[in-house]
Amino acid sequence: MKSLQTTTLMANAIRALAMDAVQKANSGHPGMPMGMAEIAVALWDRHYRHNPANPGWMNRDRFLLSNGHGSMLHYAMLHLAGYDLSMDDLRNFRQLHSKTAGHPEVGITPGVETTTGPLGQGIANSVGMALAEWLLGYEFNRPGYDVVDHYTYAFLGDGCLMEGISHEVASLAGTLRLNKLIWLYDDNGISIDGKVEGWFTDDTRKRFEAYGWNVIGQIDGHSVADVSAAIEQAKQSDRPTLIMCKTIIGKGAPNLEGGDKVHGAPLGDKEIAAVRQHLLWDPIPFDIPGEIYEAWDAKERGAQAEGEWNAKFAEYRAAHPQLAAEFERRMKGELPGNFNEVLDAAIATCIDKKETIATRKASQNAIQALAPILPEFLGGSADLTGSNLTNWKESIAVRSGTPGNHINYGVREFGMAAMMNGVVLHGGFIPFGATFLTFSDYSRNALRMAALMKIRSLFVFTHDSIGLGEDGPTHQSIEHVSSLRLIPNLDNWRPCDTVESQVAWGAAVQRKDGPSTLIFSRQNLPFMERDAAAVANVAKGGYVLRDAADAKVVLIATGSEVELAVKAADALAGEGIAARVVSMPSTDVFERQEASYKASVLPRGIPRVAIEAGVTDFWYKYVGLEGAVVGIDTFGESAPAPVLFKHFGFTVENVVAKAKGVIGA
């Protein structure tokens, strides 16, 4: 146990690095790192199991900085503990292409587990990680071999608790009794606008006790001993724990601590000089004494912890070779060797059956086809399982004390999406969660974060258009598909039948460098006949479904509107006008194809008409100003789906008229 003098110096090192980096960058948030410095020392020096030499060690504890604006706290700890993050990296805080971005980014900085900044999402990710740890442990641990055995810790502030997502995920974490989840709350009473007592007066203790959490505190957040004792106590609980730490924001800044001015701006040269005098600290910026590095250094301890685990895992491998191999495959995110074979067989089955069914049902069939070889599937729905159809025959509902592979997230769309991101980041699972497409709006920021982090989260959205019918415009998606396509690195699939649905699922599962949405209909859609070449091209995101010699017009459609495009092509043929039909289930994937392939699908010089039951603006990138779009630029109506499609112009007659218009016939 280190002395009080030593831990004080360790904490002050964080304060110094935070204020120096923010000052040099001339932007950032020094207040939180300075206020949470002792909390950081307590956790990282006495409890946090990690190995700076191997940030990806499978059984490491997970640490998340949900209040990500205080990123210099994390960067300082990583640097001092011995991660590959140099002092020059700290000097380069918030600069272009640095390893020390304004908010922590996974994949950029060694030791950062998730990208945080949008408040509340870090703690949501932590719930997903704790859930993954519990489920993996149940699946792979054996007597004498607890190869999955670690904690998930998160730092959070007032802002995280004000965000609605905190309610969603804390409530579910309590219900599931995720007892290896520990949150440390920086209760400093300050946000950007000032003292939070004017807008945040929740009784946080009672709130979390009502969720079913173990609550400790308030404790003195500036006492390393008190914080450490609270963490030790939390480890004994059979429930998740919130440790309420009373702190002073910007502690150590004698003229600014405790106020909002220290929250999100450099301290300034005068105050920094005062801090150095107050803390009796070296006046040279970015200078850390050797004895403090020695006190912080976690490399030896980390190597020992991982070494002990490696030895245990070697014994585990000898005793349970198949389990060990499967665990390693899962944690590496690799698919089974026979995945392509199973996927091809599933596609062939779709072709043989030629079913006319809703694509949401086709999606369930696709899940059922893949699930037997993908034990890493972790499905779920935001209280719409019977509508989204994300369960399968062998799925088992997760309940408190009862592990499984399907989660009833409740009406928590945002929480679900952010928890899924945490599950992916932990490793060992491919999660998918579902709601109605309209309610993707609730999840939007988590979808964006998944895309930014380049992780394999699968977001299933059903009831994808006015085809929803009688529930009316509140539930009918109009702008949603197009707006999702605007998110960089997000693949969006809107299949037209069973074959495209199976291909979409296969593509989403195979993609390791980003998330996918899978967007399905409520209503039945007919099977589309294709030759083998067309089937193979579905995975390219856009392909020629039906062709005609010397085509005068190209009809581009997605999802439920592909059937309309085919019928319109038939009608045009009856009038002597040859039309090509292009199905484009994923414009995102199509755009990544070679220019020659895209040109073969959409040849220059042939007029185009796009057909999709949503806003029209997106499609002008394909049809040009000379082309036409059959879409909807208003909200929907409440009526049976067939009535709505006719009302909004999704008829053969209208498509034919649009086609004739663009070719001047």
Side-chain angles (χ1 to χ4, degrees):
M1 189 78 69
K2 295 182 176 71
S3 68
L4 176 60
Q5 181 181 8
T6 298
T7 57
T8 298
L9 289 171
M10 292 170 70
N12 287 343
I14 292 175
R15 293 186 169 100
L17 289 173
M19 72 178 185
D20 286 344
V22 171
Q23 185 69 21
K24 187 174 185 302
N26 197 32
S27 73
H29 299 77
M32 186 277 267
M34 297 177 76
M36 293 194 77
E38 282 83 9
I39 301 172
V41 173
L43 175 61
W44 275 54
D45 186 59
R46 300 184 181 181
H47 299 275
Y48 185 49
R49 292 175 73 246
H50 62 119
N51 184 5
N54 182 16
W57 168 36
M58 293 180 188
N59 198 45
R60 68 192 182 278
D61 290 339
R62 270 58 168 183
F63 170 76
L64 301 90
L65 191 76
S66 190
N67 42 354
H69 55 272
S71 57
M72 267 309 304
L73 174 75
H74 203 174
Y75 300 149
M77 290 190 295
L78 291 167
H79 170 75
L80 293 166
Y83 284 78
D84 182 19
L85 196 69
S86 69
M87 189 64 84
D88 283 340
D89 290 322
L90 301 192
R91 290 190 182 97
N92 208 26
F93 178 54
R94 287 183 161 234
Q95 304 309 300
L96 184 64
H97 303 316
S98 77
K99 293 166 72 172
T100 49
H103 293 82
E105 294 187 39
V106 68
I108 302 296
T109 314
V112 169
E113 299 281 2
T114 185
T115 300
T116 56
L119 293 177
Q121 286 199 68
I123 53 176
N125 296 160
S126 77
V127 176
M129 291 183 182
L131 175 65
E133 191 274 343
W134 170 49
L135 295 176
L136 276 175
Y138 180 85
E139 187 173 353
F140 287 100
N141 290 347
R142 292 296 182 270
Y145 299 107
D146 288 340
V147 295
V148 184
D149 182 18
H150 53 265
Y151 287 88
T152 301
Y153 301 97
F155 284 3
L156 65 147
D158 297 297
C160 289
L161 293 185
M162 283 186 259
E163 291 284 1
I165 193 173
S166 70
H167 166 82
E168 295 185 26
V169 299
S171 171
L172 187 54
T175 297
L176 296 177
R177 299 179 81 89
L178 300 175
N179 67 306
K180 296 174 82 172
L181 175 66
I182 300 172
W183 290 359
L184 292 108
Y185 167 34
D186 178 32
D187 183 8
N188 60 35
I190 296 292
S191 66
I192 292 175
D193 280 356
K195 294 182 179 179
V196 301
E197 62 191 24
W199 48 86
F200 182 56
T201 58
D202 300 13
D203 188 328
T204 301
R205 167 177 282 279
K206 289 182 180 178
R207 174 184 167 188
F208 274 78
E209 287 176 344
Y211 295 147
W213 283 56
N214 174 44
V215 183
I216 301 173
Q218 289 182 341
I219 63 169
D220 181 2
H222 300 300
S223 168
V224 171
D226 288 359
V227 175
S228 179
I231 296 171
E232 189 59 44
Q233 183 183 340
K235 289 179 177 178
Q236 311 310 312
S237 177
D238 63 351
R239 295 175 290 168
T241 295
L242 177 74
I243 302 174
M244 300 175 61
C245 306
K246 192 64 181 175
T247 62
I248 300 170
I249 190 170
K251 184 172 175 60
N255 303 302
L256 295 178
E257 66 177 27
D260 58 278
K261 288 183 173 56
V262 76
H263 182 280
L267 299 185
D269 292 334
K270 183 178 178 181
E271 186 68 6
I272 286 176
V275 172
R276 296 187 189 282
Q277 185 177 10
H278 180 65
L279 300 180
L280 304 177
W281 197 259
D282 185 345
I284 303 172
F286 298 101
D287 186 50
I288 303 295
E291 61 267 26
I292 296 179
Y293 274 119
E294 186 177 342
W296 264 104
D297 194 345
K299 295 192 290 294
E300 183 178 344
R301 182 162 39 110
Q304 180 180 346
E306 183 176 357
E308 291 171 355
W309 183 85
N310 286 339
K312 179 185 287 187
F313 194 81
E315 295 177 7
Y316 176 77
R317 182 184 284 109
H320 307 284
Q322 291 182 325
L323 276 175
E326 179 71 357
F327 176 73
E328 290 182 303
R329 177 190 74 79
R330 296 259 299 265
M331 291 303 291
K332 291 176 183 175
E334 298 174 350
L335 297 178
N338 63 337
F339 179 82
N340 285 330
E341 179 185 342
V342 171
L343 176 60
D344 289 344
I347 295 170
T349 298
C350 293
I351 295 170
D352 290 341
K353 288 186 174 181
K354 305 181 189 303
E355 291 179 296
T356 293
I357 54 178
T359 51
R360 60 173 175 157
K361 179 60 181 177
S363 168
Q364 186 178 45
N365 292 345
I367 295 169
Q368 186 65 62
L370 299 177
I373 65 159
L374 292 176
E376 56 263 53
F377 262 181
L378 183 62
S381 171
D383 204 48
L384 288 167
T385 302
S387 296
N388 300 145
L389 304 181
T390 49
N391 55 341
W392 61 101
K393 290 178 182 176
E394 299 83 10
S395 63
I396 300 169
V398 173
R399 296 290 185 267
S400 177
T402 307
N405 53 13
H406 188 275
I407 302 169
N408 298 103
Y409 285 98
V411 188
R412 299 182 177 99
E413 295 89 355
F414 192 8
M416 173 180 70
M419 282 179 58
M420 286 165 53
N421 290 345
V423 169
V424 179
L425 289 162
H426 179 277
F429 293 100
I430 299 175
F432 55 91
T435 185
F436 288 177
L437 178 58
T438 307
F439 305 138
S440 64
D441 286 341
Y442 285 131
S443 324
R444 179 61 59 103
N445 205 266
L447 270 66
R448 184 176 185 273
M449 295 298 287
L452 177 61
M453 293 189 284
K454 302 177 181 177
I455 58 175
R456 184 166 47 190
S457 297
L458 309 186
F459 304 102
V460 178
F461 298 121
T462 68
H463 298 60
D464 67 345
S465 68
I466 57 171
L468 176 71
E470 292 87 342
D471 277 342
T474 61
H475 285 50
Q476 291 166 3
S477 325
I478 300 298
E479 74 278 20
H480 298 80
V481 176
S482 284
S483 64
L484 289 169
R485 291 172 179 141
L486 298 178
I487 299 176
N489 200 45
L490 178 64
D491 282 359
N492 301 279
W493 290 87
R494 186 172 185 246
C496 75
D497 69 352
T498 55
V499 171
E500 288 191 358
S501 297
Q502 187 69 66
V503 171
W505 265 101
V509 168
Q510 288 174 302
R511 187 185 185 211
K512 295 179 68 173
D513 61 353
S516 302
T517 73
L518 297 154
I519 300 169
F520 301 113
S521 73
R522 177 195 186 193
Q523 74 274 26
N524 289 343
L525 303 181
F527 173 82
M528 293 291 163
E529 295 287 352
R530 303 169 182 81
D531 59 23
V535 172
N537 286 335
V538 174
K540 295 179 179 179
Y543 64 101
V544 179
L545 175 65
R546 283 189 46 180
D547 209 0
D550 195 25
K552 303 300 182 188
V553 64
V554 178
L555 305 179
I556 310 167
T558 76
S560 52
E561 288 67 68
V562 171
E563 175 189 11
L564 177 58
V566 169
K567 289 181 176 178
D570 288 340
L572 286 165
E575 297 186 35
I577 301 171
R580 168 181 285 190
V581 177
V582 170
S583 179
M584 199 171 286
S586 178
T587 61
D588 309 280
V589 175
F590 180 73
E591 288 296 337
R592 294 200 294 271
Q593 305 306 312
E594 294 182 356
S596 59
Y597 175 76
K598 291 189 285 187
S600 73
V601 175
L602 299 175
R604 292 183 179 274
I606 304 178
R608 304 167 186 174
V609 177
I611 313 160
E612 185 173 67
V615 294
T616 61
D617 280 8
F618 171 85
W619 287 102
Y620 286 99
K621 68 181 287 186
Y622 290 110
V623 304
L625 297 179
E626 303 79 17
V629 182
V630 178
I632 308 174
D633 290 315
T634 67
F635 293 112
E637 298 281 353
S638 178
V643 175
L644 291 173
F645 278 111
K646 183 178 181 180
H647 173 75
F648 285 105
F650 291 91
T651 64
V652 170
E653 294 78 14
N654 190 34
V655 176
V656 167
K658 294 283 188 181
K660 288 181 174 179
V662 299
I663 63 176

